[in-house]
Structures are given as structure tokens and as C-alpha cells.
Amino acid sequence: MKHNLYSVVLMAVSLLFVVACSSPDPEATEQRYLASVEPTVTLYTFAEEGVEPHAEVVRATPLTAYPNCVEQRDGVEYMKVVYQGVTCYVPTNNLVASVDDVVREKEVWVRTPTTILRDVESSKIAGFADKGAKLAVLGYDALTDSGRVATYHVRLGDVEGYVYGRYVVATEAAALLRYKAEEYDPIHSAVKDSFGGGEAIGCDFYPVEKPKFEDNPMPEACYSLYINAGGNALKNIESYISLAKQSKINTFVIDIKDNQTPGFKASAMEEYSPTNYRRAPNNEELYRNAVKRLHEEGFYVVGRITCFKDSYFVQDNPQCAITERATSEPFKHNKAYWPSGFDRRVWEFNVALAKEAVEKFGFNEINFDYVRFPDRMTRVEELVDYHNRYGESKVQAIQRFVRYATDEIHKLGAYVSIDVFGESANPGYTTAYGQYWAAISNVADVICGMPYPDHFSAGYYGISKPWNSPYEIMYQWGRRVQSRQAVTPTPAVVRTWIQAYNVMRHVDSNGIAYDAENVEKEIRGLYAADLTGGYITWLASSNLEKYEQQLNAYKKDYLADWKRDKASAE
């Protein structure tokens, strides 16, 4: 009886260990590749206790496999392989003969709302995929070192195109999750949509890996002079260089396109906005020489582009404009016509222009200004049509543009900075024009606030005349910026526009002049608030004489002073 029971058990165990290493040649080997719907595949070893995980290996890894040595355990069929000299076993459905077959997913879900590209090279836009959308996978281009797909070829309804693999996941449940919801959702849910900019909670806060390009190092602190697109300034580049070399200035910001002031005849203008192209001067060689000379002298060079305030673009593309509901004509605001921040054609244009400038001239960084909807629109909001095709809020559209722009410009090895109103640092509400500091900072490389002292009203932060108290207003503003940065999983570098012009007469005819002393006070206020990414001078005229009068402020190494003070305090 005992003998019969033993035989039954032995037979049952043997059924679990079906070994096919006997025919025709158990030692025959072939190269196989790991395949999966996930970025990695588990390799196992066999022990008396059962199947034991040995290593997680990225898919597409080539292995020496023994196709005639297949073993079945607990209903799973494993093939013998050798990985780094160790005999392991892999489920047979995770091994393929061709590297073209290693990606097994047939569908993916969108975790981070993303642009669908028509093609990856041109950055042209086919459509948009919102969080939780299911995409049919038609193919892929390449795998990253971690085994993730770099770019999927997908279909969403009747839209076919490409999405970056970092924004999609393998299941719908994972796609619908919000990043650390227990930590961040209460913070952003408490932010009020007081003025129609949109709910902060509707933005995406998954961490964004900020690149550091080895052949394009960004200064730890950018001490920056602004130069407008006027040909006279660029023609006089040697004088600006001479001034800068007497100081700690290490960065120049040069206009590429301002509203109704295109800098050079760009191919992107010819394609998207012939009026910009026609009105642009033949300045390509001037730009090329200026950026070349700045690089030769060791300066970091940033190109500035205004986005959603562009009368010439609207003239050429009225269908992309914010329009009056009553007439369907483009809406004029602040003496200019505004393309809608929801419109993807204007996204394409500005990014195409940025890429062209990087490729032609070698800009280290692109600075986008007017990345917003028009301000002071509360009374006319119901009278205009933004042509909001995808049903987005303003804060969502602005963050999504920033994501699209950084994705495309990073491919050229250049960084992206985004200008925002100083108001966006205020707690408690999203701005009416769609700038929510935390959402933009999470995605951009650099965020550039514009807290010009004469833009603050009397009594702001308890300061009677902020424009006459440059240190105090910048320090108080900087403290609020730090609070916004603290609720951003991957905050951008903060590099701040400072007032380099005198107080405007309509603000205070008796206001102070912004000489070297007061410019220095502004910068000292920022560093006292631990905003150490540097500054950019806002002087619309780029007047060299004015810069020379402020030279002593630019001779200071504020970061070195800040580090010294921190060290002594410890």
C-alpha cells in the first residue's frame, strides 16, 4: 500500500517536470531575444523549492537559448538559456527569434496627456490623447536602455501617429492613477479656479526627467543681458560683448520673434506665416555672426520667441485666432491679435521656428514668452471663442504646450525656458490666463518669472511702493516662488526677469531710477529668497548706455556670495 502511494506521488511530480532535452540534440543552441509587454522579463532558476526569480532583464536582450531543452513547471513552459554565464530559464512565450518581435503590447493607455505627432522629425501634430485613452499599437521605433519603447506608432479613432513611450502604460488602471495622489491631490485640489483659468488638479504632475546635455552645459547661474531683435543691436554685438566681459555676465538673450517684430526670414515663417516672413529683415547672417561671436567668447546664448501674441500669424491664419462670437472676426486685445493657446497649428509654428533657430545658429536654449492666454479678459470672456477643440482648460493647454515644446527641442540638445507673470507665484488660485506655476515648472527646464517692481500695486505684500523697494519686493515674491516650487515634483530652475528700466511715469512720476544700486537690490532680494538660478535684464530698448550705467550691478557674482553666506551661517 505504501509502495503504491509512493508511485502515485512520483508520477504526479513527474508530470510537473516534463523535460524535452533529449531530441534531437539537447545541446543545440540558437540566439533568442527577450520579448514582453513590459520593459523587463524575469529570468528564473530551478531549485528543489520550486522556481526562483534570478534577474530582471530588459527586453530585446539577446540570449543563448537551448530550443530542445524545454521544461514545464506548474503549467508554465520554460526554455533553458544562458545569461551572463548562468544557466537560467525563461517562459517560452518571452523568447522570440527576431529582435523585431520583442515588443508584445497591442495596446497602451495614456498616463500623461500627450500630443500625437504626424511624424517624429518634423514635430507636426496629428492630434491629442487625453489621460486614460486607449491607443492601438501599430509599431515602434526603438527601445531605451531600460527596455521602454521610445516612440510608439499608434491609432486613436481615425487619428494615426506617434507618441512617446514615457507617457503611456500597459493598463488602463495604471493610466488613470495620479502621481502620489495622497500627497499632491490635496494640495492642487485646494487651489481655486477663481478667474476661469482652470482647475489645478487637472494638470499632470508625474515627474519629468530634466536633461543635462554634456555638450551644452547650462551655467549654474545665468547672469543675462537681453538684446532685442533690432538689427542695430545685433550689428553692435562687439560692444555688448565688451561690456559683458567687464562683468560677470555669462548669458545673452536675443529675440528671434516678438509680436510684429520677426528677427529673420525663417523657413518656418514662410510655411506657417508668410506675413512674418515678408516683414522679417534679411538678418540671417547677422544672427549667425552674433551667436557665433558670443559662443567664441564663452557666452551661453538664449533665443526668445513670443508665442500666443502674434498679429502677423493671425493675419495669415485667422482660423487659429481667438475670435469674437458676434462677428467671427479675430479678437483684438492690447493692440494685438492673439492666436488661441488651444490651437495646435500655432504650437507647431513656434516650435518649428525654435528648432530652426537652434539648428541654424546654435542657440543653447529657447525662451518662450507669452505662453498664455490674454490677460484682463474677465469682462469679455463670454464674448470670445477660443476654439477649444479638445475641451481643455487654459492651465492644461499651457502645460501641454510646454511639454510638446520641450520634447521636440530637447531632441536637438537645447533647453527650454518659459516666461510667466509674477502673479503666477501667488498661492491659492490659478491665473485667468492659464499660467499655473507648479504645472509649468514641473515640465520646463527653466521658469522665468517677471516680477517687475513697477508692476506691483501699492501696498502689495505690505510694501507701500514696491517699485521704490526693489530688494523687499523681490525677496517677498521669491519666498512665494519657493512655496510653489515645493509642490512641484520636478521643479525647473528659476531664472528671473528683473526690471532694468526706470519706473514708468504712469505708475509714479516720482519713482526711482533703476541704476546699478537698485538693479543690485533686485538681484540681492532674489538670492536672499534662495532663488539662485540667475537673472535676465528686461530693457526693451536694449540700450547699451543704460546697461553701462548699471555695470556695477552686473560685476557681482551673486551665487558665489550666496554660497559664502550659506557656508558661514552653518
Side-chain angles (χ1 to χ4, degrees), residues 15-26:
L15 289 175
L16 295 176
F17 295 83
V18 178
V19 181
C21 290
S22 57
S23 67
D25 179 5

Side-chain angles (χ1 to χ4, degrees), residues 343-393:
D343 191 274
R344 269 41 178 187
R345 182 170 172 81
V346 71
W347 291 21
E348 282 186 7
F349 169 48
N350 285 286
V351 169
L353 177 60
K355 291 171 65 177
E356 182 176 345
V358 171
E359 291 177 317
K360 280 185 173 178
F361 310 128
F363 282 102
N364 303 97
E365 176 182 313
I366 294 296
N367 170 255
F368 288 110
D369 197 359
Y370 285 86
V371 185
R372 61 178 178 86
F373 292 82
D375 57 324
R376 303 190 305 278
M377 293 284 286
T378 306
R379 294 181 180 179
V380 299
E381 193 77 18
E382 299 303 316
L383 305 179
V384 300
D385 188 346
Y386 290 101
H387 303 284
N388 187 355
R389 176 180 177 184
Y390 298 110
E392 301 160 293
S393 70

Side-chain angles (χ1 to χ4, degrees), residues 263-292:
F264 67 96
K265 290 187 181 298
S267 298
M269 294 176 186
E270 191 172 21
E271 178 181 357
Y272 289 91
S273 180
T275 303
N276 267 302
Y277 184 82
R278 188 174 64 254
R279 295 296 184 94
N282 288 306
N283 270 352
E284 186 167 318
E285 282 306 310
L286 202 58
Y287 272 84
R288 184 172 285 106
N289 176 68
V291 177
K292 178 175 178 288

Side-chain angles (χ1 to χ4, degrees), residues 549-565:
Q549 293 168 1
Q550 299 165 339
L551 184 59
N552 282 338
Y554 308 137
K555 288 182 176 181
K556 307 294 193 302
D557 190 340
Y558 299 95
L559 180 63
D561 292 348
W562 178 84
K563 288 181 176 179
R564 183 197 60 228
D565 292 344

Side-chain angles (χ1 to χ4, degrees), residues 109-112 131-133 169-178 206:
W109 281 262
V110 177
R111 183 207 70 191
T112 293
K131 186 176 183 68
V169 289
T171 67
E172 182 179 19
L176 293 174
L177 292 175
R178 297 182 57 81
Y206 271 91

Side-chain angles (χ1 to χ4, degrees), residues 252-423:
F252 278 82
V253 177
I254 300 175
D255 275 350
I256 294 171
K257 175 175 71 73
D258 206 336
N259 177 48
Q260 295 185 307
T261 312
F264 67 96
K265 290 187 181 298
S267 298
M269 294 176 186
E270 191 172 21
E271 178 181 357
Y272 289 91
S273 180
T275 303
N276 267 302
Y277 184 82
R278 188 174 64 254
R279 295 296 184 94
N282 288 306
N283 270 352
E284 186 167 318
E285 282 306 310
L286 202 58
Y287 272 84
R288 184 172 285 106
N289 176 68
V291 177
K292 178 175 178 288
R293 284 292 298 123
L294 291 169
H295 281 156
E296 288 173 348
E297 296 295 339
F299 294 102
Y300 184 80
V301 189
V302 180
R304 174 178 172 267
I305 296 174
T306 59
C307 290
F308 304 135
K309 182 181 180 183
D310 190 332
S311 294
Y312 292 159
F313 180 87
V314 168
Q315 182 176 328
D316 300 320
N317 301 273
Q319 76 281 6
C320 301
I322 299 170
T323 58
E324 298 180 17
R325 289 188 182 277
T327 65
S328 297
E329 294 296 318
F331 173 74
K332 196 168 192 177
H333 175 77
N334 194 21
K335 301 179 181 179
Y337 293 107
W338 292 64
S340 174
F342 295 117
D343 191 274
R344 269 41 178 187
R345 182 170 172 81
V346 71
W347 291 21
E348 282 186 7
F349 169 48
N350 285 286
V351 169
L353 177 60
K355 291 171 65 177
E356 182 176 345
V358 171
E359 291 177 317
K360 280 185 173 178
F361 310 128
F363 282 102
N364 303 97
E365 176 182 313
I366 294 296
N367 170 255
F368 288 110
D369 197 359
Y370 285 86
V371 185
R372 61 178 178 86
F373 292 82
D375 57 324
R376 303 190 305 278
M377 293 284 286
T378 306
R379 294 181 180 179
V380 299
E381 193 77 18
E382 299 303 316
L383 305 179
V384 300
D385 188 346
Y386 290 101
H387 303 284
N388 187 355
R389 176 180 177 184
Y390 298 110
E392 301 160 293
S393 70
K394 292 178 181 177
V395 292
Q396 286 176 329
I398 294 304
Q399 187 192 43
R400 291 165 185 179
F401 167 75
V402 175
R403 190 181 304 279
Y404 162 71
T406 54
D407 282 341
E408 301 313 302
I409 293 167
H410 283 168
K411 290 189 291 190
L412 302 180
Y415 302 99
V416 175
S417 54
I418 304 295
D419 294 346
V420 298
F421 274 163
E423 181 198 8

